[in-house]
Amino acid sequence: MSAEAADREAATSSRPCTPPQTCWFEFLLEESLLEKHLRKPCPDPAPVQLIVQFLEQASKPSVNEQNQVQPPPDNKRNRILKLLALKVAAHLKWDLDILEKSLSVPVLNMLLNELLCISKVPPGTKHVDMDLASLPPTTAMAVLLYNRWAIRTIVQSSFPVKQAKPGPPQLSVMNQMQQEKELTENILKVLKEQAADSILVLEAALKLNKDLYVHTMRTLDLLAMEPGMVNGETESSTAGLKIKTEEMQCQVCYDLGAAYFQQGSTNAAVYENAREKFFRTKELIAEIGSLSLHCTIDEKRLAGYCQACDVLVPSSDSTSLQLTPYSQVHICLRSGNYQEVIQIFTEDNLTFSLPIQFRQSVLRELFQKAQQGNEALDEICFKVCACNTVRDILEGRTISVQFNQLFLRPNKEKIDFLLEICSRSVNLEKASDSLKGNMAAFLKNVCLGLEDLQYVFMISSHELFITLLKDEERKLLVDQLRKRSPRVNLCIKPVTSFYDIPASASVNIGQLEHQLILSVDPRRIRQILIELHGMTSERQFWTVSNKWEVPSVYSGVILGIKDNLTRDLVYILMAKGLHCSTVKDFPHAKQLFAACLELVTEFSPKLRQVMLNEMLLLDIHTHEAGMGQSGERPPSDLISRVRGYLEMRLPDIPLRQVVAEECVAFMLNWRENEYLTLQVPAFLLQSNPYVKLGQLLAATCKELPGPKESRRTAKDLWEVVVQICSVSSQHKRGNDGRVSLIKQRESTLGIMYRSELLSFIKKLREPLVLTIILSLFVKLHNVREDIVNDITAEHISIWPSSIPNLQSVDFEAVAITVKELVRYTLSINPNNHSWLIIQADIYFATNQYSAALHYYLQAGAVCSDFFNKAVPPDVYTDQVIKRMIKCCSLLNCHTQVAILCQFLREIDYKTAFKSLQEQNSHDAMDSYYDYIWDVTILEYLTYLHHKRGETDKRQIAIKAIGQTELNASNPEEVLQLAAQRRKKKFLQAMAKLYF
């Protein structure tokens, strides 16, 4: 460094950086030290104060020689002041949250108008008439900022504002405040008049597919230079701060959602638009991440908006969008489904997701309805209050007054419910010690508050009470009860349980019944029943729990047993065994069934066979849920028992339909086709429809490799299914004398109902059997006359191509069945390409093109190692490719159409050229050119871009043609390899786009 330069550096560093407070803006203006000031950790004055002062100074009116007030002069000083204000806003990255919080409406209006002016937005031009896509990025961003602020200001003005406490009255301050208020109201009036235009501008912004740029301090400096010094840099797509498309759309969606939500108070239909925008905002936040530098969304407020929209506009498709607990509660309250509210509150006691204030508001609403004369809600109020009280206890709060009032007159039902809620609200394995302690203290206090010892016993003998309270605590509680009540036996011996307190017979019966409900030990159940029958002979203890259910075909036989104890024991053992089997507690189910079998063997051959049948079904379920999941074949004795059941001809044995259903499904799943085809007794085919259906399916599977002429059983199976799907017709004469035709949905003409057939199919897992059934229903779906787009399926050619009486088939039910079957088969194997193609064809036929492309691509991916290998031609047939082309075309992805035209056995140049002529394409366009291997298409692209004057895109096409591997002189192997490589990359890119 030279000496002269060193002197200049020293002089600069010694210059004071903090100016006098009275002239700081003049100092920053004259010394150009704004950037240095803003880089300070805590600049004083703050950036937003700078904006206010700069704009105030720039907007000061002038006074001429005649002392007349004139508008602010458009001189160099005022232009620089406005530029400095814009530079400070650029330093704040144009964050509207910061600017709106610190600047008044008039100041921010002035600032954004200056931004529009410097961004070359023509004054007086309506923003709604401007094409955002054709504007320079910084100009488009300025328009978006202004219109975002406009609707945000309108929304903010609709919120109630807490008035600040007025200070000592000062005339000048009051005048200034009044002027600012009037100015704000005038601006708001204009903004509200333009609100519809602002919304249209923002809706148009959501259709942009390019990144935008916002002015920075540097680009503003460039704009302030002479035009010749800028060299057009601010007009280019790389000047300024880059705002990604997703970030821009996220902010715009949120602001539009808030605007629509505010309008919903006068037009409820607009809430649907708000809901759509808010949920799109959530999706975009998930894509870009909540730590985005240029997209600041209040996610808590967004979540509140979404919950409100869920309540105001519940989703019609419950499978596509799961309802929040808030909306579930509101829907239940509106429909009067109060039991579901109790269920939601009980589950929330484990998760603590609903605020206690919300739960209390629901209780208040129920109290109001009960006070209006709805006495049926008294019980509901207690139950909801009990749920809220348990939540309070778990979180360490005191018991509410409402609970104490409702619990003044306890009864057995109230205490049973309270104990049930307490048990379901505490996960003993995961709960903390403090939470367990809170629950134990609550139960202890409830006991102390009860006067009737019968109710004390109900709580003290409960499993939760015994688990939570230690022996010492229980002993202490007994001592307290003794001192309180003279009726309690004051024995001197140590007390370890409550059983030494005298109790009536009814109390002991209640305790034993409670243990009977909980126990799954057959010996203990028998012992309890013996004790109960010793206390009273008038009760039927199989009715103790309404959850003990035995199939009606069995209950008649069991309840016919004369001995009361034996009847109760058999009924309860079977009911508990069936319940354990349903919840897949197979070990306990087996113990209960074995004990019941041992018991009935002594006196009833009929019930003995019933139990053998149920144990067979249990063994089938046990194997399917265990070793069968890994593909291990069942033991030979289990297969023999299944055959024995199917061939059983014992008269007067009550049989459950599900057992036969499961047995036939079991034989098909384990490919016992030889037995079903050749060895099934003839009487079974006539008497058991499931055996008949299984025999036809097994025979069709066996004959499948043979010639078409030999597939007689396929035709028989077709006729059986057609008959099941047919509707029976009845003629009815109306009042006018005309005869009308009435169709009955579930036909009785077939061997079973369609619902029974569907239930049976959903028990199958063998891929070939499922493929046969699926292809049959697809063919049946395709034979209707008004079908436009056929669905393809494997083995579809084995079925007849027509039906004699088309009018008799319920094609609507067939279409529903096809969809259900595809959904089920894909749950069994989501990687079966044939089933994936069927699902794609269904979406294609119902005009859901994006979903159709998803499944077409998934079908190719699963059979080609995610396109690292060539997709087999029998998967991507010409028909599949043409449907993919149509999907892309209707989605306006025209470049993808041109590329897919190359996949056909004969390239469809006509479609490819026509698609490339489209200029309104929603795909990546020229970035896809690297995936084109057909030189003719590339040459056409070059010609097309030259004709349009699109030099950059023409160069990209020329570069793609110039790749050596596409040279027509190359060997065929090289050209095929080049095509295969591009196919792979294109399909992988498409998969990432649609998966």
Side-chain angles (χ1 to χ4, degrees):
M1 181 185 295
S2 66
E4 186 178 351
D7 290 342
R8 281 200 306 271
E9 179 72 19
T12 304
S13 61
S14 64
R15 186 180 295 154
C17 292
T18 306
Q21 189 66 23
T22 56
C23 60
W24 51 266
F25 64 89
E26 295 283 355
F27 179 79
L28 292 175
L29 175 60
E30 294 175 3
E31 300 293 333
S32 302
L33 295 176
L34 177 63
E35 292 186 36
K36 191 169 184 180
H37 175 76
L38 293 174
R39 283 198 297 268
K40 291 181 181 179
C42 297
D44 184 21
V48 287
Q49 293 174 341
L50 287 174
I51 294 175
V52 174
Q53 294 296 337
F54 284 144
L55 292 177
E56 282 184 357
Q57 292 296 321
S59 59
K60 271 188 178 180
S62 62
V63 180
N64 62 12
E65 294 176 355
Q66 288 80 26
N67 288 329
Q68 293 176 334
V69 179
Q70 300 289 329
D74 186 18
N75 55 29
K76 182 177 180 181
R77 179 181 180 276
N78 284 350
R79 286 196 297 272
I80 293 177
L81 281 169
K82 293 176 183 177
L83 180 65
L84 290 176
L86 292 172
K87 290 176 71 173
V88 176
H91 169 74
L92 297 174
K93 294 184 172 59
W94 301 98
D95 190 329
L96 286 181
D97 289 332
I98 297 174
L99 296 174
E100 288 171 340
K101 189 175 181 181
S102 307
L103 300 179
S104 64
V105 171
V107 172
L108 193 45
N109 180 52
M110 191 187 310
L111 178 70
L112 292 175
N113 274 299
E114 288 300 327
L115 175 63
L116 293 173
C117 182
I118 204 168
S119 300
K120 301 180 182 179
V121 176
T125 305
K126 284 190 174 184
H127 295 173
V128 72
D129 296 333
M130 303 173 72
D131 182 11
L132 294 177
S134 63
L135 293 176
T138 49
T139 306
M141 194 64 196
V143 172
L144 287 187
L145 273 172
Y146 179 84
N147 286 281
R148 280 185 58 217
W149 167 76
I151 65 169
R152 286 164 67 107
T153 304
I154 294 169
V155 171
Q156 193 64 34
S157 68
S158 67
F159 297 154
V161 179
K162 185 178 180 182
Q163 297 294 332
K165 292 183 179 179
Q170 297 180 11
L171 187 60
S172 61
V173 174
M174 291 177 66
N175 287 339
Q176 184 179 354
M177 290 175 62
Q178 184 61 28
Q179 289 176 3
E180 184 173 326
K181 182 180 178 182
E182 291 176 359
L183 187 56
T184 301
E185 289 175 353
N186 290 334
I187 293 172
L188 275 171
K189 182 179 178 182
V190 174
L191 293 179
K192 288 177 180 178
E193 290 173 356
Q194 299 173 350
D197 287 351
S198 293
I199 289 175
L200 288 175
V201 170
L202 296 181
E203 287 284 7
L206 295 179
K207 298 176 183 177
L208 293 176
N209 57 0
K210 65 177 182 178
D211 297 335
L212 298 181
Y213 293 81
V214 69
H215 281 302
T216 61
M217 298 178 77
R218 176 173 173 272
T219 59
L220 291 169
D221 278 336
L222 289 170
L223 283 171
M225 295 179 184
E226 294 298 326
M229 300 175 63
V230 179
N231 295 326
E233 183 174 353
T234 55
E235 300 292 337
S236 72
S237 60
T238 58
L241 181 65
K242 182 178 180 180
I243 308 294
K244 292 184 179 178
T245 308
E246 294 81 4
E247 293 176 323
M248 177 272 291
Q249 290 183 348
C250 185
Q251 293 172 319
V252 170
C253 276
Y254 180 73
D255 294 336
L256 278 173
Y260 287 136
F261 193 87
Q262 184 249 346
Q263 294 175 358
S265 58
T266 56
N267 182 6
V270 183
Y271 281 128
E272 183 64 42
N273 295 339
R275 185 180 188 280
E276 178 189 344
K277 292 296 183 286
F278 285 133
F279 280 91
R280 177 58 182 156
T281 305
K282 288 180 71 174
E283 292 174 3
L284 289 167
I285 288 176
E287 288 180 20
I288 63 180
S290 57
L291 300 177
S292 170
L293 295 175
H294 311 307
C295 180
T296 54
I297 303 292
D298 185 344
E299 294 191 41
K300 289 186 178 178
R301 192 175 187 85
L302 174 62
Y305 272 130
C306 290
Q307 289 171 353
C309 289
D310 265 343
V311 173
L312 294 166
V313 191
S315 173
S316 59
D317 185 4
S318 59
T319 60
S320 63
L321 183 65
Q322 190 174 2
L323 294 175
T324 63
Y326 293 94
S327 54
Q328 287 178 337
V329 169
H330 281 286
I331 291 170
C332 292
L333 289 175
R334 284 202 298 266
S335 62
N337 187 1
Y338 301 116
Q339 293 299 330
E340 185 64 24
V341 175
I342 295 167
Q343 178 68 21
I344 294 169
F345 278 16
T346 305
E347 293 172 357
D348 182 64
N349 284 350
L350 288 169
T351 60
F352 296 177
S353 59
L354 291 173
I356 191 64
Q357 295 83 359
F358 173 74
R359 296 171 59 131
Q360 289 169 349
S361 70
V362 172
L363 180 60
R364 282 195 297 271
E365 183 179 337
L366 291 172
F367 270 132
Q368 290 172 0
K369 290 182 179 179
Q371 290 167 0
Q372 291 170 1
N374 192 345
E375 296 180 358
L377 285 180
D378 290 341
E379 181 185 354
I380 299 297
C381 287
F382 168 76
K383 291 184 176 182
V384 173
C385 185
C387 292
N388 287 354
T389 300
V390 172
R391 168 72 178 273
D392 288 334
I393 294 303
L394 294 175
E395 292 187 316
R397 288 187 291 271
T398 57
I399 299 174
S400 65
V401 177
Q402 292 100 327
F403 178 77
N404 288 327
Q405 290 174 340
L406 293 171
F407 207 61
L408 278 175
R409 295 181 180 177
N411 54 37
K412 182 178 182 298
E413 288 73 21
K414 287 184 177 181
I415 291 176
D416 277 339
F417 180 77
L418 185 61
L419 289 172
E420 180 187 354
I421 293 300
C422 291
S423 300
R424 293 172 59 187
S425 301
V426 178
N427 188 333
L428 294 175
E429 296 179 358
K430 299 180 181 179
S432 63
D433 292 339
S434 62
L435 194 143
K436 292 179 182 177
N438 291 341
M439 181 60 75
F442 171 64
L443 293 175
K444 188 165 64 174
N445 289 332
V446 171
C447 284
L448 290 172
L450 293 171
E451 295 182 1
D452 193 329
L453 290 179
Q454 176 183 352
Y455 300 147
V456 174
F457 276 120
M458 287 179 65
I459 298 174
S460 64
S461 61
H462 195 273
E463 184 180 358
L464 179 66
F465 185 92
I466 296 170
T467 304
L468 292 178
L469 269 77
K470 299 178 182 177
D471 290 344
E472 296 79 8
E473 293 176 303
R474 296 203 296 274
K475 179 180 177 182
L476 182 62
L477 180 58
V478 171
D479 291 339
Q480 290 175 313
L481 290 169
R482 284 175 176 170
K483 293 174 184 177
R484 189 190 68 180
S485 175
R487 294 178 295 168
V488 180
N489 181 19
L490 299 175
C491 59
I492 303 174
K493 66 178 183 178
V495 179
T496 58
S497 72
F498 287 94
Y499 287 104
D500 62 333
I501 303 177
S504 63
S506 62
V507 175
N508 288 332
I509 289 174
Q511 291 175 346
L512 289 171
E513 286 179 348
H514 186 69
Q515 294 176 27
L516 183 65
I517 292 172
L518 296 177
S519 179
V520 289
D521 180 10
R523 293 180 180 275
R524 179 62 183 150
I525 292 170
R526 180 174 178 274
Q527 181 184 352
I528 293 170
L529 283 172
I530 291 172
E531 292 181 34
L532 287 170
H533 278 275
M535 292 179 180
T536 176
S537 59
E538 299 175 356
R539 296 280 303 277
Q540 294 180 336
F541 293 104
W542 62 270
T543 63
V544 166
S545 173
N546 58 6
K547 295 183 179 179
W548 290 341
E549 295 179 357
V550 168
S552 56
V553 292
Y554 297 161
S555 59
V557 181
I558 296 173
L559 297 180
I561 298 173
K562 294 180 180 180
D563 182 65
N564 292 341
L565 174 60
T566 305
R567 179 196 61 213
D568 289 345
L569 185 54
V570 172
Y571 190 97
I572 293 171
L573 288 174
M574 177 173 281
K576 284 178 174 285
L578 290 170
H579 173 73
C580 289
S581 179
T582 302
V583 299
K584 298 188 177 180
D585 183 5
F586 299 126
H588 279 128
K590 191 156 190 173
Q591 289 179 13
L592 291 161
F593 281 164
C596 191
L597 175 63
E598 182 181 354
L599 177 64
V600 299
T601 300
E602 300 174 0
F603 65 88
S604 175
K606 186 182 295 187
L607 284 176
R608 177 180 178 277
Q609 189 58 52
V610 165
M611 292 313 304
L612 288 173
N613 295 345
E614 289 299 325
M615 291 188 75
L616 170 62
L617 182 60
L618 177 65
D619 288 343
I620 290 174
H621 287 162
T622 304
H623 182 269
E624 295 294 293
M627 305 304 292
Q629 293 286 342
S630 59
E632 183 174 332
R633 281 188 62 79
S636 56
D637 67 312
L638 179 56
I639 295 175
S640 299
R641 288 166 59 200
V642 171
R643 291 183 178 184
Y645 173 82
L646 292 175
E647 297 170 11
M648 181 176 61
R649 298 185 68 176
L650 295 176
D652 301 329
I653 299 295
L655 299 174
R656 276 211 297 161
Q657 177 178 292
V658 68
V659 183
E661 196 177 342
E662 291 280 359
C663 285
V664 175
F666 177 82
M667 299 296 276
L668 285 171
N669 285 335
W670 294 106
R671 296 178 290 280
E672 292 291 325
N673 297 336
E674 197 71 26
Y675 171 78
L676 289 171
T677 306
L678 303 175
Q679 300 176 25
V680 173
F683 75 90
L684 270 180
L685 299 176
Q686 304 299 325
S687 61
N688 193 322
Y690 294 102
V691 175
K692 172 69 174 176
L693 187 62
Q695 190 251 359
L696 290 173
L697 283 168
T700 304
C701 291
K702 279 186 65 179
E703 293 180 359
L704 197 60
K708 187 174 181 180
E709 295 76 16
S710 66
R711 296 171 190 161
R712 174 62 193 169
T713 51
K715 186 179 179 183
D716 293 341
L717 179 60
W718 168 267
E719 290 173 353
V720 165
V721 173
V722 168
Q723 205 168 26
I724 292 173
C725 295
S726 296
V727 287
S728 56
S729 302
Q730 299 175 356
H731 292 84
K732 182 180 179 181
R733 187 175 298 277
N735 295 331
D736 56 357
R738 294 181 180 179
V739 177
S740 59
L741 187 66
I742 301 174
K743 287 188 176 182
Q744 184 179 333
R745 281 279 175 220
E746 289 282 355
S747 171
T748 55
L749 302 174
I751 61 173
M752 63 181 69
Y753 291 116
R754 186 182 63 87
S755 56
E756 293 174 334
L757 173 62
L758 191 59
S759 172
F760 171 72
I761 294 171
K762 288 184 177 180
K763 291 179 171 60
L764 301 173
R765 291 181 295 100
E766 171 59 25
L768 181 57
V769 178
L770 289 173
T771 301
I772 292 290
I773 296 171
L774 196 51
S775 70
L776 190 155
F777 274 97
V778 166
K779 183 67 175 182
L780 188 55
H781 171 272
N782 290 344
V783 297
R784 53 187 298 187
E785 295 174 343
D786 58 342
I787 201 75
V788 177
N789 295 308
D790 282 356
I791 301 173
T792 56
E794 201 173 356
H795 307 309
I796 199 168
S797 61
I798 69 173
W799 311 112
S801 56
S802 61
I803 298 175
N805 187 7
L806 278 175
Q807 303 299 326
S808 65
V809 178
D810 186 356
F811 285 108
E812 183 181 343
V814 171
I816 294 171
T817 305
V818 170
K819 292 177 183 177
E820 289 190 38
L821 288 179
V822 174
R823 192 180 304 118
Y824 170 70
T825 53
L826 288 177
S827 70
I828 297 294
N829 181 8
N831 294 326
N832 186 303
H833 65 82
S834 174
W835 300 344
L836 288 167
I837 292 288
I838 295 174
Q839 180 67 83
D841 283 348
I842 291 172
Y843 280 125
F844 181 83
T846 53
N847 303 328
Q848 300 179 67
Y849 301 113
S850 180
L853 272 176
H854 169 92
Y855 281 98
Y856 283 134
L857 289 166
Q858 192 173 342
V862 298
C863 60
S864 64
D865 190 19
F866 196 69
F867 304 112
N868 285 307
K869 301 174 185 175
V871 180
D874 60 332
V875 177
Y876 275 2
T877 61
D878 270 6
Q879 180 177 337
V880 170
I881 297 297
K882 286 177 181 177
R883 290 189 172 184
M884 292 173 71
I885 288 171
K886 186 173 181 181
C887 289
C888 291
S889 177
L890 291 168
L891 292 170
N892 285 337
C893 298
H894 300 297
T895 316
Q896 295 173 8
V897 170
I899 297 172
L900 284 170
C901 286
Q902 302 173 108
F903 283 62
L904 297 168
R905 287 181 174 82
E906 293 185 7
I907 299 176
D908 186 354
Y909 289 111
K910 181 180 178 181
T911 303
F913 293 167
K914 185 178 178 182
S915 66
L916 291 173
Q917 290 170 8
E918 297 285 344
Q919 291 184 296
N920 183 24
S921 185
H922 293 172
D923 57 22
M925 298 181 69
D926 49 343
S927 65
Y928 280 130
Y929 291 177
D930 285 339
Y931 303 137
I932 301 175
W933 64 86
D934 185 79
V935 176
T936 305
I937 294 177
L938 287 170
E939 288 174 344
Y940 181 77
L941 274 171
T942 307
Y943 159 75
L944 201 61
H945 291 314
H946 175 72
K947 182 180 176 183
R948 293 175 182 170
E950 297 168 343
T951 309
D952 292 343
K953 293 182 179 180
R954 179 172 177 270
Q955 289 300 321
I956 295 172
I958 291 173
K959 183 181 177 183
I961 293 177
Q963 296 177 84
T964 54
E965 58 187 358
L966 297 183
N967 193 319
S969 302
N970 288 337
E972 185 64 26
E973 295 80 6
V974 174
L975 293 173
Q976 288 181 359
L977 187 61
Q980 189 56 44
R981 187 181 297 117
R982 283 161 176 75
K983 281 184 181 180
K984 165 191 166 183
K985 290 181 178 179
F986 172 69
L987 290 172
Q988 287 176 343
M990 288 277 284
K992 290 175 183 177
L993 186 63
Y994 287 98
F995 281 3

